[in-house]
Amino acid sequence: MKKLTFLLLGLLAFAITSCSDDDPDIIVNENEKIVTVPVLEALPAPAEYAVQQDVNEDTAAGTFKWSAAELQYNGPVSYYIQIAPAGSDFSSAVDVFPTSVSTLSQAFTFGDLNAAVNRLSTTLVSNGKAKVKFGTLAEFDVRVKAIAEKSLVVGYSTTQLMKINAYEKIVFTTPELFLVGAPQAYYGKSAWDEKNGISMKYIGDSKTGTKIFEAFVKVSVGDGFKFTGDGKTWDNGNYGTDGAVAAISGGQEFSLKNDGGSSDLKVAEADGVGLYYVRVDMDAMKVKVVKMQWGVIGAATNGGWDSESAMGYDFATNTWAYAGTDITAGPMKFRSKNTGIYINGAGKDWTFNVGDLLFVGDGGTGENFNVTAGAKPKLTVNFDGTAVVSGL
């Protein structure tokens, strides 16, 4: 009899201790009630917030405050702040903050508001509604969403009005283009491996979306290449030439077409083995190519700052070297005048140069190299335009 009494008492104790809403092994009835919904306090009048791009986005703007929600079983509650167009049904509402809070207040910055309004605008458009009006004070409703963490029952506060002058933050995706062809074999890949195309450098304007790319490519006679949109498959762009090469002095120009039957670009057939600069304008579907002629220029060189002293090119090592013995102590740079003039026109001699920033230049912003007398300058230009120099 004593054993039975002890057993009944044990079961009763287990039942009592297992009824807590905080016990993770207990599933609270999904019809649990929120006895009292939270109450969101009104923001200080006039509740107007003007976001200034790159000025006040990190500045504290205010604090949302609300009272606690009360649950039937007194379990934990998570809170979210939601925002929607004023007077709407919150069907396109978004959360002001990406994560919930368990406290009864949440500070916000001007940047938080701007990000929320931009997300709201995107959601509205995806739901077939008009986007938010940016650049003017627009009215929004905010509310608190309370979620019981165990039963997931939801309750909402009444709304409060706020006005936000937000700016539209346009996110640009950097376009991509990849070179596929025989030259891949010179850069640690297999020739004509479309699954491992070489990424070309994007030099377009990301704000306007212009699609212009460049690369510095070793090409031998017989080497052909094409372009693809993702460097993984020909299905996302198979860009070759229509076969015609415009007779342009100083270089070559091709028209592109997206067709598996398009022709390879074989630039060395006309100008021989060398390092080629390749610029692709995908908006115009044109490619300009020039065989580079690098030299040294500056007070330390025989031609001074007026003309380049030519360097010789070794295809196997992709290295340009100056063989002369007339280098004196002083400043100098590397330059490919023929490339600058061909690509960008007369007077653009300095577009393609290498200074101490060690990339193919942007008009000469890199400082000069100061070399010693008798220096033997060497230059390597990588596929992406970064440079390696030695012998100074």
Side-chain angles (χ1 to χ4, degrees), residues 236-261:
N236 187 21
N238 188 329
Y239 303 103
T241 180
D242 58 6
V245 180
I248 297 178
S249 176
Q252 303 172 52
E253 183 171 301
F254 299 84
S255 294
L256 289 179
K257 64 177 182 177
N258 185 7
D259 187 336

Side-chain angles (χ1 to χ4, degrees), residues 78-98:
S78 295
Y79 298 100
Y80 293 86
I81 305 298
Q82 294 188 311
I83 187 170
S88 70
D89 59 2
F90 274 80
S91 59
S92 297
V94 298
D95 297 328
V96 176
F97 307 100

Side-chain angles (χ1 to χ4, degrees), residues 338-358:
N338 78 305
T339 311
I341 292 175
Y342 172 66
I343 295 296
N344 293 324
K348 302 296 183 180
D349 306 20
W350 282 99
T351 303
F352 293 84
N353 72 93
V354 173
D356 68 350
L357 295 180
L358 295 179

Side-chain angles (χ1 to χ4, degrees), residues 34 36-43 63-69 77-84 90 93-97 100-106 141-147 153-160:
I34 293 183
T36 303
V37 296
V39 175
L40 177 63
E41 294 183 12
L43 292 162
T63 303
F64 295 113
K65 299 178 182 179
W66 58 93
S67 61
V77 182
S78 295
Y79 298 100
Y80 293 86
I81 305 298
Q82 294 188 311
I83 187 170
F90 274 80
V94 298
D95 297 328
V96 176
F97 307 100
S100 66
V101 295
S102 57
T103 57
L104 300 180
S105 66
Q106 177 64 55
D141 285 333
V142 291
R143 71 182 183 184
V144 177
K145 176 182 178 181
I147 303 179
V153 173
V154 179
Y156 300 97
S157 73
T158 55
T159 64
Q160 294 290 348

Side-chain angles (χ1 to χ4, degrees), residues 151-206:
S151 64
L152 301 183
V153 173
V154 179
Y156 300 97
S157 73
T158 55
T159 64
Q160 294 290 348
L161 182 70
M162 64 190 307
K163 298 179 181 180
I164 306 172
N165 185 340
Y167 72 89
E168 188 170 15
K169 194 166 187 175
I170 300 174
V171 179
F172 299 97
T173 301
T174 302
E176 293 184 305
L177 192 69
F178 296 80
L179 184 144
V180 176
Q184 285 176 279
Y186 306 131
Y187 298 93
K189 301 178 183 290
S190 298
W192 290 105
D193 181 5
E194 77 279 6
K195 296 182 180 62
N196 291 285
I198 310 177
S199 178
M200 299 186 68
K201 183 178 180 181
Y202 176 65
I203 59 171
D205 186 342
S206 60

